[in-house]
Amino acid sequence: MVHQSHIDRYEAYAKGGAGLVIVEACSVLRMPENRDTLCLESDGCIPGMKLLADVIHRYSAVALVQIMLTGLSTMKENRIDEICRTDFLRYKDAFVSAALRCRVAGFNGIEFHAAHGMYLDEVIETSERMDEYGGSFENRVRLFTELIAEIRERCGKDVIVAVRFGNPSYEELLKTADAVQAAGGDLLDVSSGMGRYLDVPSGFPYDGKVYAASLVKARASLPVICVGNIFTGDEGEAILKEGLAGMIAVGRGSLADPAWARKTLAGESPNPCLRCKNCMWYMDGALCPARRRENEEQRLWGNNYCCE
């Protein structure tokens, strides 16, 4: 459930100038997770989620919730085709119910997490089910497109339906973008799938995920978000001016400095991510060296500051 640390963190991002805030991956069902994952399984989540939506909207940012199931690593099955049809359809219904709860809580919409080997990504890339949800690409993407259409119908035409997706096969990456667009999605958020992007042109100056996003941008009519090692405003601005994407997502930069957007737009230098080999923030935000350094500087500044 949402607690005060979530509210404080997302208030900092919205106050820090982000135009779109996507709340961290939230599970649509209670599953055995290896991290403290927010869960949208019951209506009991709505009051806390409403606090998050309200604090993000307070600073005029758009608020989405990323909804997901972590996937096979939290299930008893080893392959998608081993999931019985009853459970497979129950998981599908859970996504719809979670989206409705986010809508009731006041969010502008949801983002499906179908990247990074999460459940929806596993279905798209690996499903060998013998029913209509496995085998051919059209069958593997069917769960996804049915979810988009059903949430559009159940939550209303004004709800934003975004999709975070990736696929090491560029052909299937683009076909997924086509399918999302045809199903009524609003926003394409391109990241990685179950493998790295290969054959990125040697002269391409940005992350491989940005290259993948540029291919989607060239093909799709929907807005495209790119992500991947974008640490400075100059990098982000260059990506936008070159037409590689329509929006940029800044992850670690915002973790290191929640005011990354405001400072960048103002021409200031955000507190930089130190690019630790193993991200300390991911383990425990309090351990992030960048944030510890920022807090120390604030403490020293406070000790030497004299009000006029």
Side-chain angles (χ1 to χ4, degrees):
M1 294 293 183
V2 171
H3 47 79
Q4 189 61 44
S5 66
H6 293 106
I7 297 168
D8 294 343
R9 184 160 79 250
Y10 287 101
E11 179 176 23
Y13 297 146
K15 185 178 181 180
L20 169 64
V21 177
I22 305 175
V23 172
E24 63 199 70
C26 298
S27 183
V28 301
L29 286 174
R30 190 179 300 276
M31 293 277 190
E33 302 279 356
N34 61 1
R35 60 187 184 278
D36 188 15
T37 304
L38 290 172
C39 185
L40 307 172
E41 185 179 59
S42 70
D43 289 351
C45 75
I46 293 174
M49 296 300 290
K50 186 178 188 305
L51 292 175
L52 282 184
D54 289 348
V55 79
I56 293 169
H57 286 148
R58 184 181 304 162
Y59 300 94
S60 301
V62 175
L64 303 184
V65 181
Q66 192 177 81
I67 62 175
M68 62 87 184
L69 281 176
T70 297
L72 292 171
S73 65
T74 63
M75 299 173 181
K76 63 181 184 296
E77 299 87 359
N78 295 312
R79 300 192 312 271
I80 295 298
D81 59 278
E82 293 178 355
I83 301 172
C84 70
R85 186 173 177 84
T86 299
D87 283 344
F88 191 84
L89 296 179
R90 179 168 64 89
Y91 298 161
K92 178 186 177 182
D93 290 342
F95 276 96
V96 177
S97 296
L100 286 167
R101 291 184 183 107
C102 292
R103 189 62 168 155
V104 171
F107 282 89
N108 301 100
I110 56 92
E111 178 178 80
F112 288 109
H113 194 339
H116 309 168
M118 296 291 187
Y119 175 71
L120 292 175
D121 186 18
E122 290 175 327
V123 173
I124 293 172
E125 291 196 48
T126 73
S127 178
E128 296 180 351
R129 296 180 64 83
M130 300 303 292
D131 57 17
E132 69 270 33
Y133 297 106
S136 68
F137 175 79
E138 289 70 24
N139 281 355
R140 287 183 276 120
V141 82
R142 188 186 307 277
L143 171 66
F144 204 28
T145 56
E146 287 181 353
L147 278 171
I148 293 170
E150 188 165 348
I151 287 176
R152 168 70 66 224
E153 180 181 355
R154 297 281 300 279
C155 292
K157 294 182 179 180
D158 60 336
V159 68
I160 297 171
V161 179
V163 175
R164 180 167 238 203
F165 69 108
N167 195 311
S169 164
Y170 292 121
E171 178 184 0
E172 292 204 350
L173 178 81
L174 295 175
K175 287 169 70 174
T176 301
D178 292 342
V180 171
Q181 189 163 299
D186 297 303
L187 187 59
L188 300 168
D189 185 355
V190 181
S191 189
S192 57
M194 297 179 70
R196 296 178 60 189
Y197 292 111
L198 303 177
D199 301 322
V200 176
S202 59
F204 190 77
Y206 309 109
D207 189 276
K209 294 185 288 296
V210 178
Y211 175 69
S214 74
L215 299 180
V216 174
K217 174 71 161 55
R219 177 158 170 153
S221 60
L222 295 179
V224 175
I225 300 176
C226 73
V227 70
N229 293 303
I230 302 170
F231 290 101
T232 70
D234 288 342
E235 291 170 337
E237 188 69 15
I239 288 169
L240 298 177
K241 285 184 176 179
E242 292 171 31
L244 304 179
M247 304 168 70
I248 61 165
V250 179
R252 284 178 288 172
S254 295
L255 295 178
D257 191 337
W260 190 95
R262 178 185 60 77
K263 290 180 180 179
T264 296
L265 292 171
E268 302 172 14
S269 297
N271 188 50
C273 169
L274 301 181
R275 310 190 193 191
C276 303
K277 184 176 181 180
N278 293 315
C279 178
M280 301 299 290
W281 205 103
Y282 183 79
M283 298 170 60
D284 181 348
L287 300 177
C288 174
R291 296 301 299 276
R292 287 165 60 189
R293 186 171 70 178
E294 178 189 39
N295 292 338
E296 180 65 15
E297 289 172 352
Q298 290 176 348
R299 185 184 66 80
L300 293 173
W301 175 255
N303 288 343
N304 292 284
Y305 182 71
C306 179
C307 295
E308 295 181 350

